[in-house]
Amino acid sequence: MCGIVGYIGKRQAAPIILEGLSRLEYRGYDSAGIAVYDGERINIAKAAGRLKILEEMTHNGETLSGFVGIGHTRWATHGVPNTVNAHPHYNKSETIAVVHNGIIENYIGLRKMLKEKGYEFVSDTDTEVVAHLIDYYYKGNPLEAITKVLHRVEGSYALGVIFAEHPDQLFAARKDSPLIVGQNEEGCFIASDVPAILKYTRQVTYVDNQEIVRLRGDHMHFYTVDEEEIQKESVTIEWDANAAEKGGYEHFMLKEMYEQPKGVADTLLPRIKDGEVVIDELNMTDEELLSVKKIYIVACGSAYHAGVTGKYVLESLARISVEVDLASEFRYRNPVMEEGAMVIVVSQSGETADTLAALRESKKRGFKVLGIVNVVGSSIAREADSVLYTWAGPEIAVATTKAYSTQLIALYLLALKFARVRKTVGDKEFAGMLDDLKKLPDQIEMLLSNKNHIQKFANRYIGAKDIFFIGRGIDYAISLEGSLKLKEISYIHSEAYAAGELKHGTISLIEEGTLVAAVSTQPELFAKTISNMVEVKARGAFVLAVTNEGNIEIEKAADYVIYIPETNPCFANSLAIIPLQLFGYYVAVGKGCDVDKPRNLAKSVTVE
Ligand code: M6R
């Protein structure tokens, strides 16, 4: 959500900033802007819509000459996505420019106060308040002015600020919105995420909450909000820059679907040693694991769907009670949490505001929190008591695929670990399950190779108005994710229903030709789901079934069947989701949608 890039150094700033912003497009945005100091004044160029418009307007940055600048892609929160509301924002004399990611929650009061002092506002944004407030406190010392502002603002922010009077400095600050800084021989950089600056440096420093950075061309200084200088360690980014490129695929989403076998193998195999599940990162002895009385899984979106699967698998294998919650609900519902419980938060980005808040709430109440996180060094990874990383690699497409698949693996591993210490699974069964897990990467590969058939089928539905997904138990969890994948990128209305719940209302929406995707991978529930398929078919639905190889009985109730290879029913999600991801993808491609950057969505939801 919103992307920030800034540069100060020996090279022209604008092309570097625009390039960096293009690497952050995946975060979701609806306008873009850039401010560069040209030796006399700060010039700003902004445009609503795609970054391309800004690039064309500035001839890829050539018309904005200067060695220090800040840029921004805005995902509108306060004020419509137009040019005026786009960042950067000036102070009244246009000598200070600000970009911001996050929400200034007390902006109404601050705006009123500033208006009373004669400040005029041109935009509807909360960010403009920051520009004027810096101006208000600025008496020649930029660091002092920024620290005063940070004491006044409430909410979340990653900020980039430049001052015409101090063109040798670029300032950045952060609270609850991601921000990194980096340096090479030619200059220093700020960015919301690593891909923006990976071309220039692999040495990055994560800015922590309520820290300020003063960057010059050749060094960076870190401060607390009380202006005390602090020392910080940089980390080396190990991943390959190509990992954040499309690599010949039409979309990042397609590439990332194809990276699932590798992500699954990387997350799984190092944690299976000598026939046992070894999760060193848990930092818990078997006795401590045994003492866990209950598990809460908290997450948003697809990560929540992975959590729903995790509940079924943990309860089934380890016979431990699991509650799954949407982070946005959990954080405000004052949950009654059982003593001796463990909290698991699941997040690809590690920056999702609600999930982070749920983590903090749990820690405040004295619960240990395990993060299942993909982005190394992200806020959730740093604040959780322990982290089980999913090794999916950088995920760029807004619609998650490979991160979701690796989250499932992390949850299966935990379920098996708990099952082992709780002795709820016999040795033979356990060994069989490890074998099944190890087969998943190849089986996923095989399902992906079936993409042409699914594309053909998907093409029939590019004009669909509504599509329903049904399933029971784990199949319901798969349906939730299949439905989200489809709707978020194709804009076709879709709902997922627990199959048995359909006739309590939603079945009235079924019309002649409505597509109902029925997921049926749990042998003990086959007959029940078939009954639900027959019910919708009798009302005119076209039924697509996703089921296990050999379950040919289903052909009597389905119009089209996709078979998945044999695995333990607990792991069926990892296979059944593949054709559903492909289906959503190809419907969206067929409709000509912007698959990697669906409208209104952001990759990392850093505001509530
Ligand atoms: O980064 P996170 O895993 O915390 O993100 C959670 C959701 O925002 C995310 O899964 C979202 O639902 C995706 N658009 C789904 O494809």
Side-chain angles (χ1 to χ4, degrees):
M1 227 166 210
C2 298
I4 290 178
V5 182
Y7 173 76
I8 180 163
K10 294 180 188 154
R11 294 179 55 183
Q12 286 293 322
I16 293 176
I17 292 169
L18 289 173
E19 229 247 89
L21 289 177
S22 74
R23 310 269 161 194
L24 299 182
E25 280 192 284
Y26 73 89
R27 296 173 67 83
Y29 70 100
D30 32 48
S31 59
I34 179 167
V36 178
Y37 177 75
D38 71 359
E40 284 180 10
R41 54 168 279 117
I42 296 172
N43 295 303
I44 288 184
K46 313 200 254 193
R50 288 290 173 215
L51 184 64
K52 214 164 161 285
I53 303 171
L54 183 67
E55 287 169 345
E56 282 166 10
M57 226 168 100
T58 61
H59 298 276
N60 286 324
E62 277 176 28
T63 59
L64 286 169
S65 152
F67 301 95
V68 57
I70 46 179
H72 189 262
T73 44
R74 172 176 186 251
W75 190 87
T77 54
H78 298 68
V80 295
N82 61 16
T83 308
V84 175
N85 289 331
H87 303 200
H89 289 284
Y90 277 133
N91 62 333
K92 63 180 171 201
S93 54
E94 302 188 350
T95 53
I96 299 170
V98 175
V99 288
H100 166 224
N101 173 14
I103 291 181
I104 304 300
E105 285 167 2
N106 58 339
Y107 83 103
I108 294 176
L110 290 172
R111 197 173 159 113
K112 186 166 169 277
M113 181 278 275
L114 287 162
K115 274 187 168 173
E116 281 163 10
K117 302 214 179 286
Y119 285 88
E120 282 168 22
F121 285 78
V122 293
S123 78
D124 301 318
T125 64
D126 50 336
T127 304
E128 199 185 350
V129 157
V130 179
H132 293 312
L133 204 57
I134 295 177
D135 178 282
Y136 176 67
Y137 285 120
Y138 178 64
K139 306 280 179 275
N141 179 342
L143 183 63
E144 183 187 73
I146 292 173
T147 55
K148 285 192 172 150
V149 168
L150 299 191
H151 283 293
R152 290 292 308 262
V153 295
E154 288 164 18
S156 57
Y157 52 78
L159 291 169
V161 190
I162 55 172
F163 293 77
E165 288 183 13
H166 300 272
D168 58 335
Q169 299 171 45
L170 162 63
F171 290 87
R174 173 208 163 167
K175 180 175 167 270
D176 292 344
S177 288
L179 191 70
I180 55 156
V181 293
Q183 185 177 354
N184 68 11
E185 320 69 56
E186 295 185 314
C188 292
F189 307 81
I190 67 170
S192 300
D193 198 1
V194 174
I197 60 171
L198 198 55
K199 188 172 161 192
Y200 306 103
T201 181
R202 288 184 166 272
Q203 277 315 116
V204 309
T205 306
Y206 290 92
V207 182
D208 280 305
N209 270 346
Q210 296 192 291
E211 287 179 357
I212 305 168
V213 197
R214 186 206 302 258
L215 303 97
R216 295 186 197 262
D218 55 359
H219 63 262
M220 303 184 280
H221 289 282
F222 297 87
Y223 302 90
T224 66
V225 278
D226 297 316
E227 281 186 68
E228 278 164 29
E229 188 159 355
I230 45 171
Q231 301 304 319
K232 289 191 59 97
E233 295 288 317
S234 67
V235 295
T236 309
I237 301 298
E238 304 287 357
W239 41 271
D240 181 2
N242 294 331
E245 303 288 340
K246 267 192 230 164
Y249 286 88
E250 200 185 338
H251 296 104
F252 277 111
M253 183 176 171
L254 186 62
K255 174 183 175 245
E256 287 162 6
M257 283 193 274
Y258 272 83
E259 287 170 344
Q260 290 181 107
K262 181 174 178 337
V264 163
D266 289 351
T267 305
L268 176 72
L269 299 180
R271 292 173 174 131
I272 300 180
K273 290 178 192 149
D274 303 326
E276 288 297 335
V277 170
V278 180
I279 316 178
D280 293 329
E281 308 94 306
L282 269 181
N283 291 325
M284 284 171 89
T285 60
D286 284 0
E287 288 68 42
E288 285 169 326
L289 284 173
L290 206 52
S291 71
V292 173
K293 297 280 171 290
K294 180 168 182 139
I295 295 176
Y296 295 89
I297 304 180
V298 189
C300 301
S302 294
Y304 166 77
H305 298 159
V308 177
T309 305
K311 171 186 163 71
Y312 286 115
V313 178
L314 274 152
E315 289 193 338
S316 151
L317 297 183
R319 305 306 301 150
I320 186 165
S321 157
V322 181
E323 221 173 284
V324 202
D325 239 312
L326 290 163
S328 53
E329 290 294 312
F330 179 89
R331 64 183 291 191
Y332 293 120
R333 79 175 167 87
N334 192 11
V336 178
M337 294 174 75
E338 272 177 41
E339 231 176 275
M342 173 180 179
V343 178
I344 303 176
V345 295
V346 188
S347 175
Q348 186 286 129
S349 62
E351 300 293 349
T352 301
D354 285 321
T355 311
L356 185 59
L359 174 156
R360 289 179 180 159
E361 176 64 26
S362 306
K363 282 183 77 171
K364 203 167 87 193
R365 289 170 178 233
F367 291 92
K368 283 252 178 294
V369 180
L370 166 71
I372 296 181
V373 180
N374 195 44
V375 177
V376 176
S378 56
S379 300
I380 292 177
R382 282 180 292 155
E383 292 191 31
D385 295 295
S386 47
V387 186
L388 207 172
Y389 278 113
T390 51
W391 298 115
E395 192 177 64
I396 306 294
V398 165
T400 180
T401 51
K402 62 175 182 171
Y404 170 79
S405 283
T406 57
Q407 287 162 354
L408 293 176
I409 297 297
L411 288 159
Y412 301 159
L413 287 169
L414 276 174
L416 284 170
K417 184 77 201 163
F418 272 103
R420 205 62 177 148
V421 296
R422 292 167 67 89
K423 300 196 192 328
T424 47
V425 169
D427 288 350
K428 204 164 153 224
E429 201 189 345
F430 183 79
M433 283 193 274
L434 290 190
D435 285 344
D436 280 342
L437 280 179
K438 287 188 217 158
K439 284 184 202 149
L440 287 177
D442 286 344
Q443 292 175 323
I444 294 173
E445 189 99 58
M446 196 277 277
L447 285 161
L448 285 165
S449 69
N450 196 23
K451 74 173 175 25
N452 292 344
H453 290 109
I454 295 180
Q455 179 170 19
K456 242 177 164 173
F457 180 75
N459 280 339
R460 296 198 219 157
Y461 287 94
I462 55 181
K465 190 163 67 66
D466 310 288
I467 295 179
F468 294 89
F469 290 74
I470 58 170
R472 289 166 180 263
I474 286 178
D475 293 333
Y476 170 54
I478 303 170
S479 301
L480 286 170
E481 179 59 9
S483 170
L484 178 62
K485 262 332 50 113
L486 172 78
K487 70 182 138 194
E488 67 179 331
I489 56 173
S490 73
Y491 317 142
I492 291 175
H493 166 251
S494 172
E495 287 183 48
Y497 261 82
E501 182 65 14
L502 205 64
K503 54 173 142 340
H504 295 284
T506 311
I507 201 164
S508 66
L509 297 174
I510 305 295
E511 293 173 356
E512 196 58 39
T514 304
L515 178 63
V516 176
V519 185
S520 181
T521 67
Q522 306 298 302
E524 77 279 15
L525 296 168
F526 278 166
K528 297 283 167 204
T529 307
I530 287 182
S531 307
N532 300 126
M533 289 160 65
V534 170
E535 283 161 9
V536 291
K537 205 166 149 60
R539 283 151 184 91
F542 185 95
V543 179
L544 158 71
V546 180
T547 193
N548 306 357
E549 244 163 37
N551 181 21
I552 50 170
E553 193 59 19
I554 211 162
E555 290 183 11
K556 291 187 194 145
D559 298 290
Y560 192 96
V561 184
I562 297 171
Y563 289 103
I564 62 162
E566 198 187 326
T567 190
N568 184 294
C570 283
F571 312 141
N573 189 341
S574 292
L575 302 178
I577 196 58
I578 305 298
L580 298 183
Q581 290 172 342
L582 286 167
F583 175 70
Y585 171 76
Y586 281 118
V587 171
V589 169
K591 285 188 72 177
C593 297
D594 191 350
V595 173
D596 286 335
K597 299 186 284 284
R599 68 184 180 207
N600 306 336
L601 291 180
K603 179 68 180 162
S604 145
V605 184
T606 51
V607 295
E608 289 191 50

